[in-house]
Amino acid sequence: MLPYTLVIQHAAQVLTMAGGSAERPLAGPNLSSWTIIERGYVACVGDKIVAVGAMNELNLAHIGPETRLIDATGCVVMPGLVECHTHLVFGGNRADEFERKLRGESYLDILTSGGGILSTVRATRAASEAELLANALHHLEGFRRYGITTLEAKSGYGLDRDTELRLVRVAREAGHRQPVRVVPTFLGAHVVPPEFKEAGPRAYVDFMLREVLSDLKGEAAFVDVFCEQGAFPLAVARYYLEQAHKMGFGLKIHAEQLHDLGGCEMAAELGATSVDHCDYLTPAAAARIAQVSQGRTVAVLLPLVPLFLRQSQYAAGREFIDNGLPVALSTDFNPGSCPSKNLWLALSVACLKMGLRPKEAVAAATLNAAWAIGQQHDCGSLEPGKRADVLVLNVGSVAEIPYWLGENPVRDVVIGGQW
């Protein structure tokens, strides 16, 4: 074996996320039964992890004069966080609508009045590609400081052919210009744009299928749709996902955010990789999704969204887990319903409002989040062969991670073996 290029040593705990199945995400008891190594180390060669274990197992023969040593005494070492649901690329912001929300206007009220997503669409269409790229790079640096090492970036604020393609292109370029890996997802079916208001949702998705998706082959692995009142009804969402699947895309859905329309079950039946939001998904429906998908569809829970929108309904995370549905956690970073990159806060709120426990929350934001964007082979756990994305945290145990409400515990971020 080559000499180690990096060793993170003397960790109070190494949170490996290892021990589950290679065939499906962590679910049920497995979400919290992964291995913690007390007083451990992680060794890397180049951009790959090559060894993980207890300090008394560290092979000193592989440490040479060029090996970089990081002392993690008293600290938790864990995989880099995986953000599996963000809207990274957009123009402007919606700070003006924040005050409208505080005065009592609902999310759907603002959307139907021409605000919400549509106001960001106007700002995004008006922004140059250089402006969008600069904004995306700014936000990615913020995510990196929170320990995010892989991030999904959804389009959806263009709602026309050229702008939607530009958003995917900008997301990919932003991923090339800095170390955080960016995984683009196509969310052209976010809402119906003004140009299709009279023609309706079906005409708009037909346009997307005909004019846009063929140009996304190799650019975005997943197609997403917002199935909700004021966006796309269930029948249109099903048709769109069926056609996208025939074109070779993986499937995702925004569903059961504000109403129970059956979108999550529908998408799972079609083989969706993830169903996102799920605040109105019932535990019985969660159990059916777990069964029909054979535990492969991940429910991506977004606890900061109802918090920011001042809603009382949170996804029934505890019941989902108990019914065998794999869950992941993300912020849903976007300018309207979650202008926050603090995934650590999302972990805390998931524990407080969705019933997750600390080990479950950490696994949901790492390995299961990687599954939700098809990156489980390369990130989300500390195992030999995976990319060397490793965090050193200023806490001494996994229990402390969601306990320190709103704090950023990150001391060191290693991405691809680079510190």
Side-chain angles (χ1 to χ4, degrees):
M1 181 182 289
L2 294 171
Y4 297 149
T5 54
L6 174 69
V7 176
I8 304 170
Q9 58 184 347
H10 302 299
Q13 291 185 336
V14 177
L15 313 184
T16 67
M17 308 303 142
S21 167
E23 303 300 321
R24 53 183 53 83
L26 299 172
N30 289 335
L31 192 61
S32 59
S33 64
W34 43 267
T35 302
I36 295 178
I37 300 171
E38 305 288 341
R39 198 170 180 273
Y41 77 94
V42 177
C44 311
V45 173
D47 64 351
K48 298 296 183 183
I49 297 169
V50 295
V52 181
M55 282 301 299
N56 60 12
E57 300 169 351
L58 177 60
N59 190 339
L60 299 179
H62 294 302
I63 297 177
E66 301 302 317
T67 305
R68 170 168 273 179
L69 301 175
I70 297 178
D71 183 7
T73 299
C75 296
V76 163
V77 170
M78 63 173 286
L81 295 181
V82 178
E83 264 283 15
C84 58
H85 185 129
T86 84
H87 303 251
L88 176 70
V89 187
F90 57 86
N93 64 66
R94 303 218 293 267
D96 58 323
E97 292 178 7
F98 180 58
E99 187 165 351
R100 292 174 64 182
K101 292 186 181 84
L102 296 177
R103 290 174 177 168
E105 289 189 66
S106 74
Y107 179 86
L108 287 179
D109 289 340
I110 293 171
L111 178 62
T112 55
S113 70
I117 294 167
L118 293 176
S119 66
T120 298
V121 168
R122 292 190 291 272
T124 302
R125 288 179 176 180
S128 70
E129 188 158 330
E131 290 171 329
L132 293 172
L133 179 58
N135 287 340
L137 291 170
H138 165 75
H139 293 310
L140 283 170
E141 174 57 24
F143 276 116
R144 190 195 63 79
R145 289 196 297 269
Y146 278 115
I148 283 82
T149 57
T150 298
L151 175 144
E152 186 216 36
K154 299 179 187 292
S155 72
Y157 290 125
L159 306 187
D160 61 29
R161 181 185 182 279
D162 290 345
T163 313
E164 283 295 317
L165 292 175
R166 183 185 309 138
L167 297 181
V168 174
R169 186 166 62 246
V170 167
R172 290 180 66 85
E173 180 63 21
H176 294 321
R177 293 204 184 189
Q178 50 72 61
V180 177
R181 175 174 23 206
V182 175
V183 179
T185 286
F186 181 66
L187 182 59
H190 203 176
V191 296
V192 178
E195 297 87 345
F196 282 83
K197 185 175 181 180
E198 296 301 322
R202 173 61 186 263
Y204 175 62
V205 299
D206 275 332
F207 164 76
M208 284 283 159
L209 291 165
R210 184 178 64 250
E211 301 291 339
V212 187
L213 262 63
S214 61
D215 290 326
L216 285 167
K217 292 294 183 66
E219 300 297 315
F222 295 100
V223 164
D224 201 339
V225 60
F226 186 20
C227 180
E228 185 53 80
Q229 291 182 18
F232 293 90
L234 183 65
V236 174
R238 174 185 285 275
Y239 164 75
Y240 179 61
L241 292 180
E242 287 174 338
Q243 299 306 310
H245 184 63
K246 290 177 182 177
M247 297 176 71
F249 291 97
L251 305 182
K252 291 174 164 287
I253 193 169
H254 286 53
E256 274 68 78
Q257 178 183 357
L258 303 170
H259 304 89
D260 183 4
L261 303 182
C264 290
E265 283 195 80
M266 175 273 291
E269 290 168 4
L270 297 179
T273 299
S274 75
V275 293
D276 299 34
H277 284 288
C278 307
D279 292 321
Y280 284 81
L281 181 67
T282 66
R288 291 192 294 269
I289 291 171
Q291 184 173 21
V292 74
S293 71
Q294 297 183 317
R296 288 183 170 85
T297 296
V298 179
V300 176
L301 311 185
L302 308 167
L304 298 187
V305 174
L307 177 69
F308 187 75
L309 296 179
R310 301 194 303 167
Q311 295 168 340
S312 59
Q313 183 81 14
Y314 286 79
R318 177 78 266 136
E319 289 82 358
F320 295 173
I321 295 167
D322 292 343
N323 280 295
L325 181 63
V327 301
L329 291 172
S330 184
T331 58
D332 191 16
F333 172 71
N334 73 84
S337 59
C338 185
S340 174
K341 305 176 186 73
N342 191 344
L343 186 50
W344 303 108
L345 178 60
L347 267 66
S348 297
V349 177
C351 291
L352 294 169
K353 291 292 191 178
M354 296 177 171
L356 275 70
R357 292 155 193 159
K359 286 188 72 175
E360 294 170 337
V362 171
T366 51
L367 185 55
N368 274 15
W371 274 94
I373 55 174
Q375 299 295 315
Q376 68 278 1
H377 62 286
D378 206 30
C379 65
S381 63
L382 299 180
E383 299 178 86
K386 287 201 172 183
R387 194 169 80 147
D389 296 346
V390 191
L391 306 181
V392 180
L393 308 184
N394 283 315
V395 296
S397 71
V398 65
E400 287 188 61
I401 292 174
Y403 168 75
W404 295 109
L405 186 65
E407 289 196 16
N408 180 5
V410 173
R411 193 194 82 182
D412 298 306
V413 180
V414 174
I415 303 180
Q418 297 297 310
W419 184 25

